[in-house]
Amino acid sequence: EEKVPPGTFPSFMAEGTLLARRGEHGKALACFNNALKLRAGDKHCLVARSECYLRLGDTENALRDAEASLQNDKTFSKGLYQKAETLYTMGDFEFALVFYHRGHRLRPDLQKFALGIEKAQEAIVNCIGSPSSVKLESKEELCFVSRQAESKKTNQKTEIKLTKDQRWAKKQKPVRNPKTERQLLGELYADKTYLEELLKDKDLMESSTKQGGKVAELVLGGISYLESRSEFWQQQKPIYARLRERQLRQQSWAQGRKRKPAELGRYLAKTMEDIDMLLSGGSPGESCQKAERLLRRVQRWSEQEVPNRSELLGRLHSCIGSAQLEMGQVEAALQSHQMDLKYARQNKLPDAMSRALDNVGRVYARTGKFQQAIATWEKKIPMAKSSLEKAWLFHEIGRCYLQLDKAEAAQSYGEKSLQAADEGGDVKWQLHATVLVAEAQVKLKDHWAAILTFEKALEKAKLTANRAAQKAIITALDEVSKSFVE
């Protein structure tokens, strides 16, 4: 039987949700897996895991979890929305539209279902054209079903007559147009070209990774994923539809037409969703460009057109800063997150202020400005809502003090982090906090206390089955023991 992991269901859910928000969907997936081992079939956890699978490109498992969340409750709105989103991502726009409508009938107050209906209808129109553009001139349209059946039989007969070479040729993928593919993939086109060049290196393709996997399988998997995304984007919005949309948009701007509030709200929600998906999907450059374009547009609009304009401007600066940090543009990232903090303070938005302080502290810590990071994060402490958030925050502040050789302060914050982790019942953060306390005790030359604390940390590492942590702690124990003997 599979072992039940250490920890509680709420702690795994909280950690998984936090990791998913940060874009670490692989780690979040592991947390949700552990949560489902403790409470099998929990519909909220199944939806959360389905979202992770979807972000990682595993649409089959995403759909399976979404359907499982609806097994005992067909009216579960989150499950209906997740199933609709998964079907949409798979390119099944018609079926996605069915579930968007079903959710909208049950929960007309949720705007996301209305937005889903609109984007699914738009994708269908982009694929097959608008109904108004189709003219049926034949008077025999009522015989369509019978003619379709007859055509199917004819195709079956033709299939039998095909030669072996013709059947093989029919299975081959159509030759891709590099120009079209470049338009669809955008910045990802360079990645696909790079992977295709790697395939030519026979020695590399025959090698294996440290984990034992074949390099060739990883490269082919990456190419396959990019091709599937290209096909989805081509279905969702073909090139001709993109050109038509661009022309209509330019005409609209040229004539100075104003968007209706409902239309503007849907546009903003969809664009922000795209920005978040690009950032979490490993495309910070494209995410940053899209966010900057939207930022310039929102700056031109008034408060009457966009009631939450200031809040939206702060969020866009936050998205831009996160993307810049991913790209290594540290100074620019700091300025963007400080702008987010400025808007949050001006408009007295506590959640936005907490987010901005979090990000500003991260940038300071990344650049080695530990004192500034501490000062920033200490302002965030009263805003921390969950035990897990406090455990992380106290741990990061303690780490900064340790870097500044202020061991007493580091130990104090390590103990605070451990207390918060104990309250949340989270073993992983208990491990991190205990290690921090032990390292501070080493700096203070309190070797006997450090030995006892490292032994506690080793027990936590064994509970989490973290072999790398166990090895590192054993090495640290040996060094402290030698110092203690001396």
Side-chain angles (χ1 to χ4, degrees), residues 67-94:
E67 289 175 338
S69 71
L70 294 167
Q71 190 170 4
N72 297 322
D73 184 5
K74 301 295 182 185
T75 62
F76 182 42
S77 61
K78 289 184 178 180
L80 286 170
Y81 182 73
Q82 185 58 26
K83 184 171 182 179
E85 285 285 284
T86 306
L87 288 167
Y88 181 86
T89 306
M90 295 171 75
D92 291 337
F93 304 125
E94 295 89 346

Side-chain angles (χ1 to χ4, degrees), residues 83-256:
K83 184 171 182 179
E85 285 285 284
T86 306
L87 288 167
Y88 181 86
T89 306
M90 295 171 75
D92 291 337
F93 304 125
E94 295 89 346
F95 285 109
L97 183 60
V98 170
F99 284 94
Y100 283 130
H101 271 297
R102 193 172 295 177
H104 186 59
R105 283 197 299 271
L106 291 167
R107 293 294 303 275
D109 56 309
L110 294 178
Q111 191 183 14
K112 61 184 181 181
F113 285 114
L115 294 174
I117 291 169
E118 184 171 333
K119 73 178 182 181
Q121 288 175 339
E122 182 183 355
I124 292 168
V125 169
N126 285 336
C127 290
I128 63 175
S130 173
S132 61
S133 65
V134 180
K135 295 180 180 180
L136 301 176
E137 297 179 357
S138 174
K139 296 180 181 180
E140 300 176 358
E141 289 303 320
L142 293 174
C143 304
F144 172 73
V145 177
S146 61
R147 288 208 314 277
Q148 190 182 38
E150 184 180 348
S151 174
K152 187 175 180 181
K153 290 179 181 178
T154 305
N155 289 338
Q156 288 174 348
K157 291 177 181 178
T158 307
E159 185 72 27
I160 295 170
K161 294 177 182 179
L162 290 175
T163 64
K164 183 179 179 181
D165 292 338
Q166 286 173 326
R167 285 198 299 272
W168 180 85
K170 192 174 180 180
K171 292 179 181 178
Q172 298 308 300
K173 290 184 178 180
V175 178
R176 295 180 179 273
N177 185 335
K179 184 178 178 181
T180 303
E181 201 167 36
R182 188 182 290 109
Q183 285 179 299
L184 290 168
L185 289 174
E187 291 187 0
L188 295 176
Y189 182 77
D191 297 329
K192 184 172 181 290
T193 306
Y194 175 71
L195 291 173
E196 287 172 342
E197 286 295 321
L198 288 181
L199 286 176
K200 298 176 183 178
D201 190 339
K202 293 182 179 180
D203 293 335
L204 178 63
M205 291 303 101
E206 291 174 0
S207 62
S208 302
T209 64
K210 292 181 179 179
Q211 290 76 22
K214 293 288 184 183
V215 173
E217 292 177 1
L218 293 174
V219 174
L220 289 170
I223 293 172
S224 175
Y225 173 75
L226 291 174
E227 286 179 349
S228 66
R229 288 293 84 198
S230 175
E231 289 170 4
F232 167 72
W233 288 324
Q234 173 67 7
Q235 290 174 9
Q236 180 197 31
K237 190 170 289 185
I239 297 300
Y240 69 82
R242 293 164 188 253
L243 294 172
R244 185 179 69 236
E245 185 182 83
R246 192 180 299 119
Q247 290 169 356
L248 291 171
R249 188 164 59 244
Q250 288 172 351
Q251 289 173 6
S252 175
W253 290 341
Q255 294 171 6

Side-chain angles (χ1 to χ4, degrees), residues 220-418:
L220 289 170
I223 293 172
S224 175
Y225 173 75
L226 291 174
E227 286 179 349
S228 66
R229 288 293 84 198
S230 175
E231 289 170 4
F232 167 72
W233 288 324
Q234 173 67 7
Q235 290 174 9
Q236 180 197 31
K237 190 170 289 185
I239 297 300
Y240 69 82
R242 293 164 188 253
L243 294 172
R244 185 179 69 236
E245 185 182 83
R246 192 180 299 119
Q247 290 169 356
L248 291 171
R249 188 164 59 244
Q250 288 172 351
Q251 289 173 6
S252 175
W253 290 341
Q255 294 171 6
R257 296 175 184 170
K258 292 185 178 180
R259 294 176 181 266
K260 295 179 181 178
E263 181 187 352
L264 186 59
R266 288 192 293 269
Y267 165 73
L268 291 172
K270 177 66 170 61
T271 309
M272 290 303 297
E273 182 184 351
D274 291 342
I275 291 167
D276 290 338
M277 285 189 70
L278 287 167
L279 183 60
S280 60
S283 301
E286 198 172 345
S287 174
C288 187
Q289 289 176 4
K290 202 173 187 71
E292 286 174 342
R293 285 197 298 269
L294 181 59
L295 178 65
R296 288 192 292 270
R297 291 175 191 170
V298 174
Q299 286 171 337
R300 292 196 297 267
W301 295 334
S302 65
E303 286 284 352
Q304 294 178 345
E305 291 175 294
V306 187
N308 60 338
R309 180 174 175 272
S310 298
E311 184 180 352
L312 182 59
L313 287 171
R315 189 179 167 195
L316 282 168
H317 279 296
S318 177
C319 292
I320 292 168
S322 298
Q324 288 168 335
L325 191 61
E326 286 290 320
M327 294 186 289
Q329 300 171 8
V330 184
E331 292 299 326
L334 181 59
Q335 291 177 8
S336 296
H337 288 308
Q338 285 174 337
M339 284 297 294
D340 179 25
L341 184 58
K342 177 184 175 183
Y343 280 110
R345 283 173 173 164
Q346 285 177 349
N347 297 279
K348 298 179 180 179
L349 303 169
D351 289 342
M353 198 181 301
S354 177
R355 174 191 66 210
L357 288 170
D358 184 352
N359 289 321
V360 170
R362 287 175 192 271
V363 178
Y364 279 136
R366 179 80 68 90
T367 54
K369 297 177 180 178
F370 301 112
Q371 195 60 57
Q372 289 95 320
I374 291 168
T376 303
W377 278 330
E378 284 181 339
K379 294 175 185 176
K380 178 182 162 66
I381 292 173
M383 303 176 191
K385 294 181 178 180
S386 66
S387 299
L388 181 62
E389 189 177 5
K390 289 178 182 177
W392 171 84
L393 189 56
F394 291 143
H395 177 270
E396 294 302 302
I397 294 173
R399 280 278 162 209
C400 288
Y401 274 121
L402 201 63
Q403 292 289 337
L404 294 169
D405 287 330
K406 296 181 178 180
E408 289 183 3
Q411 182 178 354
S412 174
Y413 273 101
E415 289 167 351
K416 290 179 182 179
S417 176
L418 181 58

